[in-house]
C-alpha cells in the first residue's frame, strides 16, 4: 500500500521532514510527533484539494513539497483559531 506514490514508512519520514520545515518556516514550536502529523495530514488535505482541480502529483519530492505547504496552512489555521 502506498500514499501518493510513496510507502507508509517513507510517508512518515517525509511527513516529519515537511512538518519540521513548516515549523521552522512558520516560527512555531512543536514536538517531533506533531511535526509528523502536520506533514502527513497537510499532504493528505492539500492532495485532496489538488485532486478536486484534477491536479495529481506522485513521488517523494512532490509529497515533501505538498506536505510542507499543507503543514504551513494547518499551522496558520491553528493560529487563527487560537486567537
Amino acid at each position: 500500500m502506498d500514499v501518493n506514490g510513496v510507502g507508509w514508512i517513507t510517508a512518515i519520514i517525509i511527513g516529519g521532514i515537511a512538518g519540521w520545515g513548516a515549523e521552522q518556516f512558520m516560527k512555531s514550536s512543536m514536538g517531533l510527533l506533531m511535526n509528523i502529523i502536520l506533514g502527513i495530514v497537510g499532504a493528505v488535505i492539500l492532495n485532496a484539494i489538488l485532486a478536486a482541480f484534477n491536479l495529481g502529483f506522485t513521488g517523494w519530492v512532490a509529497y515533501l513539497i505538498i506536505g510542507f505547504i499543507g503543514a504551513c496552512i494547518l499551522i496558520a489555521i491553528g493560529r487563527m483559531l487560537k486567537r
Side-chain angles (χ1 to χ4, degrees):
M1 211 169 182
D2 65 331
V3 176
N4 204 32
V6 297
W8 285 100
I9 300 297
T10 307
I12 292 170
I13 294 168
I14 294 172
I17 294 168
W20 175 81
E23 176 186 54
Q24 299 302 308
F25 181 75
M26 299 291 287
K27 294 180 180 30
S28 182
S29 60
M30 294 173 267
L32 176 64
L33 182 61
M34 193 60 156
N35 287 341
I36 294 170
I37 292 170
L38 282 174
I40 293 172
V41 172
V44 169
I45 291 173
L46 193 54
N47 271 319
I49 292 169
L50 292 174
F53 293 104
N54 290 329
L55 298 171
F57 302 98
T58 59
W60 68 271
V61 174
Y63 194 83
L64 178 65
I65 294 168
I66 292 170
F68 172 78
I69 295 169
C72 287
I73 292 170
L74 288 177
I75 291 170
I77 290 171
R79 285 182 179 171
M80 286 189 315
L81 293 175
K82 198 173 186 181
R83 291 182 185 194

